[in-house]
Structures are given as structure tokens and as C-alpha cells.
Amino acid sequence: MKIATLSIGDEVVFGEIVDTNAPHIARHLYDVGLKVQRHLAVGDAEEDVMAAIRTLASTSEAVIATGGLGPTTDDITAAAAAKAANLRLELNKKALAHLRRFLAERGRNVDSANKKQALLPAGSGMIPNPTGTACGFHFQLNDCTFYFLPGVPREMARMIEETVIPMLREQSLQDSIIRIRVLKLFGLPEAEAGTRLGGLTGADSPVTVAFQVDFPEIRIKLRAEGDDERLVVRLLDETCLKAREKLQGYIFAENDETMDSVVATLLRTKGLTLSLAESCTGGLLAKRITDIPGSSAYFLEGAVTYSNAAKIRILGVSPRLLEEKGAVSSEVAMAMASGMRKVSGSDIALAVTGIAGPDGGAPGKPVGTVFLALSTNSGCQTREYRFFGSRKEIRTITSFTALDLLRRHLLSC
Amino acid sequence: MKIATLSIGDEVVFGEIVDTNAPHIARHLYDVGLKVQRHLAVGDAEEDVMAAIRTLASTSEAVIATGGLGPTTDDITAAAAAKAANLRLELNKKALAHLRRFLAERGRNVDSANKKQALLPAGSGMIPNPTGTACGFHFQLNDCTFYFLPGVPREMARMIEETVIPMLREQSLQDSIIRIRVLKLFGLPEAEAGTRLGGLTGADSPVTVAFQVDFPEIRIKLRAEGDDERLVVRLLDETCLKAREKLQGYIFAENDETMDSVVATLLRTKGLTLSLAESCTGGLLAKRITDIPGSSAYFLEGAVTYSNAAKIRILGVSPRLLEEKGAVSSEVAMAMASGMRKVSGSDIALAVTGIAGPDGGAPGKPVGTVFLALSTNSGCQTREYRFFGSRKEIRTITSFTALDLLRRHLLSC
């Protein structure tokens, strides 16, 4: 089936915003076996919208359009669509009922601006919008079905999932079962991961494997398709297990989990408390830990000890050690972690010291040199790393590496 | 002039990446008075690229295409463009010379994969790529000029600025001078800012004003156009000054400056040192301060005192105060700031305590309640705020507000 997206809005076509709706739709359709062939974007001018609709009607079998369904006068999509299809606008009763109910729940009445949102091309079907006033609609033009949705990403996403994808699958006679599993990997280069997963699935296997790099993590998308849901799920489970075996401990999360949420869950379920001593990450690690709601249950405190004086006073690092080994050293990283654990009384303390750049490198300790240390009641471990990239990249990968070290420790204890 | 963009690549059309090239091009063209009318994106299939080129050739006067100029076999843009225009591919001498020079500087020879990148549609002009192997090219088809550029955003951006925009301006007989100034505003609602700037420029003024919200800041884009560069710049300067007067201290930055960089510059030039005591922002404030290279010159330390024990031990907040007023109170915010300044020895200490949510709200102190305190050698000031939104939004606007408080203090001292 030939599918196209159509994004409507001056803000898109003049580049004021980056259109994330079209890629969102394409990705979710791809996941259920439907390939989008082209994306088109035009501004809010009626003639441009009409021309786009007419062109797409002769080249596509399904078009998912977003934008221009709001209550203001510059929202002209419904009117332009009606004109392009030689239909008149009429008050859609289902859409009006939705508007009434939606606004009543918020203690408001339907005013004339809102009422405009219930004027749809005659004969078109209504697409429910559970989270906003703008209903969607669909109609047929030539051999093409047009689906019109609001441009608000959150509203659009839900309508795609709940209504448009089921309708498209029916339209395309696509009724096989498709399931997706995403494994998130950290600490192994993409090429190495690819080699390890070579032969994971055969050439004619109903499971496919795709890689996507989202620095600094790699996402491995496993996709299984078939007629029997139980078989599809079992195949996916088996492939997932095999992939995990081949990649040992490098898979840190699945699907919607993140490194931050996985570490949070481990700390909570193990009932352990955490404190942090940061130098080069400068609070980034604490920010990531406290991004997670409820983190106050296990996170006690963090120290951003940028100056040597702070390392000495707060963490009890010895001035002689700082002088002899330098602030960026495994010895100081360990002293920071041990000191932090002692003063905070936490079960675990994680410390970071390093050179994020762009300046501050020295012979033997170039920009990107980082030491991590993890102090627990069973001792203190330290690791040295050499990262590359911009200040931002070095700080990002350092925080990722530190959380991964913590994750691996929590899994083993 | 009717202008379109064409983005070529499976990764774009299947939604694996969000296309930022088309909006980048549209925005930069808009800034010089050229409006893009449509964006089209297709995958790497030859027939799709050819169909797109032929359609655009009959509806546009200029097309800027990106992607598919790499050395690998799935990069088919040059071949598809040649076919669509009924041209053969030929070795472009300028392109080959560029490739030779570019690779030689990196100690490499031109191999057959790279050599493919010098095969361009016969008669097309070469567009230099100073930062990569993939040259661009341009040719005429019907009444439309096609510009083909690589998809790598950094390379594309430079080629747009250096070659495509000057050529387009010549093609469109657009030779007026256009200058842009962006004022960044924080702390005033968009509607209020709009009211204050009403009548800033007359209806027939060569200066236009546009607003763009980028939570939590508002960007005001002033754009002046004319034939005389000195006049254009003077007009823009005058309008800028008037806008600043009407918005008093709410403008915190211009053009590429950010809240973080402005605060950093003020601290550096005033020669003052800073320490931070954070509760609800959990390190976000320290992260933003240390995002800026060279921040160790003025940033001494930060404490993320999530627990009461940490507030007492590190900052010297009195246990009785915590019990009587609660951790989220102006009294505790002041005690945190004063304590931090004392122990760190910094010139300025900034403290934050609040409830970021989603849980933790209490009667009289709902989620979003935040207290800031700023301690300096001339005393301690505190402010109470009530923010709305998600945990992430509350943390973001809190960090912004804290930096703005610091900025205003630094400007006044």
C-alpha cells in the first residue's frame, strides 16, 4: 500500500519548528508492517493544502495529514480538504457531541470558535480525540483514504495508535500479528554488537533485527511477525533471550526503560541508599538520579566538589594525596567515594573525577581522562577511562558509564 | 519564487530519524526573505527520487535536495537526478580535484567508492563542500533550478550559507540587505510581552517582529530589510533598544547567548565566585553552571542536599528550623544559602528548596512550591514561587528562575 504523510502549518514549512509528527507516524506504521513512501509538508495557505491533497490523492492509497484543525481562523485544513474533494462542510453530530462533552467536563461551553471544529467535510467519518477538542476525520478521494488529525503531538499520537493504525491495517488487509521488543545496549561498539548477533535469526526467520545508535546507547529492535500471536511472542522471547546471552551484561534496559529508571528500580528494590561525589560531571549525575520521581527514598545527597578545597573539606580527601596524585587520579576518586559514603552514611557512594575539556588536559592526562570509584560496605573499586568528543559528549558518556557501573554493582549484590 | 525542499533517505521516510535539514534550510531562507512553500521527503528508491524530482520540476522554481550523495551503493541521488533530467553521469573534474585534495590532506587516496562521488549529471555545476567528501551540484530542469547537497547537517548547513543562499538570492533578484536580531526574554508571559511591544514598529516599517516560545524562554526575532546596509543596521539597533526599554530587565540574552552563558560571563567579568545548595533541582543547577567550559574559574562547589540530615550536616541548617518551618520554606532556603556561602567561602551562594512532584505536595505547599535564596556579603534575599507543570517542567523553570535571580543580582552589583 502506498502511504504518505502530509504535515500542514506555516510553522513547519517556514522551519520555525521541527516536524516530529511525520517521523512519529512513519515509525509506528513501520513497526506494524506499513511503509510510508513520502512525507509532504505545506503551509496554511488554502491553495497549497488543496494542491497537496489533490496530488497525493492521485499517487497514494492512504494519506495521514496532521495540523490545522484548531479553533482559530488560520486553521483551514477541514475547509481546504472539503474544497479539494468537492464536498461541502457540514456540522458533524458526533464531533459536536464530543466537543460538548469534552468542554463540559472542564466547566466550559461550546463557543463559535470551538463549534467550527465540528464542521467536517460532508460524509466523512469522525476520528475520536480523547485528549483534545479537535476531532479527526477521514474520507475517500479517488482511490485514496485521507486521515486528518490535529497537529498536537500528544493528541495525534494517541489517535494514530487507537484509530488510524487499526483502520490502515484493515484497509491494507494487513492482519498479521507484529510484536516489537527493544533491547538497549551500552559499553560495546555497534560493530562488535553486530558481530556477536550475527546468525541470531536465519534469513527466512519471521524475526528481524535492526540497530539504531542513540549516543551513547545502542538500540536493538527485534520485530516478529506471524499469524499466531502465541507463536510470535514465543519466538520473540526466545530471540530476546539468545540476544541477551550473546551480549552478556551489556543490555541494560528493555523497551521504555532507561538507564536512569533501571538504576532507580534496583536501588528501590534492594533498599539501598546512595550518595554522589562529582567533579567533572558537575551535578549531571545527581540531576539524572533526581530526574526520577520518588528518588528521595534512596538518594541522600550529592556533592559537586569542583575545587580542591571542597574535596578536602566536604569529602575529607587528604591535601597530600591531591598534591601527589592530582585531583584527576584513581586514588582521589577512591578517597572521594569513601569520604562521601562515610559522611553521608549511605550504603553506596559513587565518585567521579576527570577532565571534560575543552581545556585542562595535561601530559598523560588528556581531555577525556576520567576516574570512577564506587564505595560500598564490601570495599571500594575504581576504574580509569579515556573518552573522546566535546565537553558535552564526555560529560554525557561519563554519567552513563557511572550509572552503568552502579547498575552492575546492584545486580551483583 | 516558489521554493521546495526535498529530503532523500530511507531513514527519514521510515521515521528512524527526525529530519532537521528541511527546517534548517527553510528557516535560513526565510531569514533572507525567501519563503519555502513545501517540503517533500522520499526514501532511497530510484523511482521515488525520480518521481519527486519530476513533480517538483513542474511545480517549483528552486528545489534544495539533501541526502544520498555518499560513497556507498545505497546513495543513489546523483544517478536518479541524472535519469530524471535525461542527463548522463560524467566525471566532474572540479569534484574529482576536490576529492583528491580533501583526501590527500587526510593522508588518503581516492578509491573507487569515493570516485563515485565525483560522478555528477552532465553539465551540472559543482557546489563546494569544505568539510566533507560529498560535493553538491546544481542543474536546471524545465524552469526549476535543483540544488543537491549531502545529508550530513553540518556539511549541508555550510553549503547552504556559502553557496546556495547567494545563488538563490541572485536567481530571485533578491538583493536587499536583511539583518536579524534575536532578543531572549524570561519572566513575562507572551501576551504581556506582545502588549508591551505593540506599536514598536509601524505597519510599513522595514523592521518586523515575531515571537517564538521555547519553554521557558520567549524569543523575539527582529528582522530588518532594506537596500542600505548602514541604514538597516541602524534601524535594527534603534528597534532593539526600544524593545529593551519596553521590556526593562526581562531580556536576558541576545542571539546565540543563553541564560547559562550570560551568567557565566557576568561571574567571570565581575571576578566573583559561586556555590550552590540544591534540594528540588537535585544537581540541575550545578549541571547548567558546569556545562560552560571554564566554569571552574568561578564555581567552587555545589551541595545536593536531598535529605534533612545533609542540610543540617553540610549547610549547618538548624534541626529546629527544619522542624518548625519545614524543609520547603523561605527560612530554610535562607539558612541553606547562608550556610553554603559560609562553608565554601564563595562570594555568592544560591539555594533552592521546593516540591518538584509528582508527589510530596501538602496543604498550603502544593507541588510546584519553590523557595530561592541568594546570599552575598551584603545580605540574604529570598523569594517564593508557585510553578505548574510536570516534574521536569518545574525543575526546568526553577533552574531558569534561579539563574535569572543570580543574573539580576550580578547586573546590579
Side-chain angles (χ1 to χ4, degrees), chain B residues 35-51:
Chain B
K35 279 189 185 176
V36 170
Q37 201 185 20
R38 56 166 73 188
H39 302 195
L40 182 60
V42 295
D44 291 315
E46 193 177 76
E47 70 230 70
D48 288 345
V49 178
M50 285 174 63

Side-chain angles (χ1 to χ4, degrees), chain B residues 328-339:
Chain B
V328 179
S329 62
S330 59
E331 290 84 356
V332 167
M334 289 211 285
M336 287 169 69
S338 308

Side-chain angles (χ1 to χ4, degrees), chain A residues 259-373:
Chain A
M259 181 64 90
D260 302 3
S261 75
V262 165
V263 166
T265 304
L266 282 169
L267 282 165
R268 196 180 295 113
T269 53
K270 302 257 175 182
L272 295 169
T273 56
L274 175 72
S275 60
L276 299 170
E278 301 181 64
S279 184
C280 66
T281 45
L284 172 56
L285 210 46
K287 177 213 171 276
R288 291 184 63 168
I289 291 286
T290 61
D291 272 341
I292 305 291
S295 43
S296 57
Y298 45 80
F299 178 59
L300 300 187
E301 62 187 80
V304 183
T305 52
Y306 238 47
S307 67
N308 277 350
K311 292 184 185 80
I312 295 165
R313 198 190 72 251
I314 300 173
L315 306 174
V317 178
S318 108
R320 217 182 103 191
L321 194 68
L322 280 164
E323 198 174 310
E324 277 176 9
K325 304 291 180 181
V328 179
S329 62
S330 59
E331 291 83 356
V332 168
M334 289 210 285
M336 287 169 68
S338 309
M340 188 30 123
R341 198 168 82 88
K342 198 169 144 198
V343 296
S344 70
S346 64
D347 299 308
I348 304 169
L350 185 58
V352 194
T353 179
I355 304 158
D359 303 317
K365 286 181 189 172
V367 167
T369 303
V370 170
F371 294 88
L372 296 180

Side-chain angles (χ1 to χ4, degrees), chain B residues 131-286:
Chain B
T131 53
T133 56
C135 285
F137 58 93
H138 59 93
F139 63 67
Q140 193 79 14
L141 178 56
N142 302 347
D143 295 325
C144 180
T145 311
F146 280 83
Y147 301 86
F148 290 90
L149 306 176
V152 182
R154 190 174 39 85
E155 299 177 15
M156 179 281 306
R158 188 149 166 196
M159 295 162 83
I160 285 286
E161 195 187 327
E162 293 180 357
T163 308
V164 178
I165 285 182
M167 286 184 71
L168 281 174
R169 280 171 63 90
E170 205 176 298
Q171 189 189 341
S172 68
L173 308 175
Q174 222 286 25
D175 59 358
S176 61
I177 305 291
I178 294 173
R179 292 290 177 271
I180 305 276
R181 197 81 50 89
V182 178
L183 297 176
K184 298 183 181 176
L185 178 142
F186 176 71
L188 212 58
E190 188 186 4
E192 164 82 21
T195 307
R196 290 207 193 184
L197 290 189
L200 178 70
T201 58
D204 52 356
S205 161
V207 184
T208 59
V209 184
F211 289 79
Q212 196 193 335
V213 177
D214 184 16
F215 177 82
E217 65 184 65
I218 296 168
R219 297 186 186 168
I220 302 165
K221 194 190 255 186
L222 304 172
R223 180 180 177 283
E225 182 168 359
D227 298 325
D228 179 343
E229 175 159 16
R230 280 199 313 186
L231 191 67
V232 165
V233 170
R234 206 187 68 208
L235 263 172
L236 205 52
D237 284 343
E238 286 171 6
T239 314
C240 223
L241 208 68
K242 260 197 263 177
R244 279 181 172 277
E245 270 167 25
K246 285 171 186 279
L247 299 168
Q248 293 163 341
Y250 293 102
I251 303 294
F252 64 88
E254 266 193 32
N255 302 326
D256 293 335
E257 294 173 339
T258 63
M259 182 64 90
D260 302 2
S261 75
V262 165
V263 166
T265 304
L266 282 168
L267 283 166
R268 195 181 294 113
T269 52
K270 301 257 174 180
L272 295 169
T273 56
L274 175 72
S275 60
L276 298 170
E278 299 181 65
S279 185
C280 67
T281 45
L284 172 57
L285 210 46

Side-chain angles (χ1 to χ4, degrees), chain A residues 189-209:
Chain A
E190 187 186 3
E192 165 81 20
T195 307
R196 289 206 195 183
L197 290 189
L200 178 70
T201 58
D204 53 357
S205 161
V207 184
T208 58
V209 184

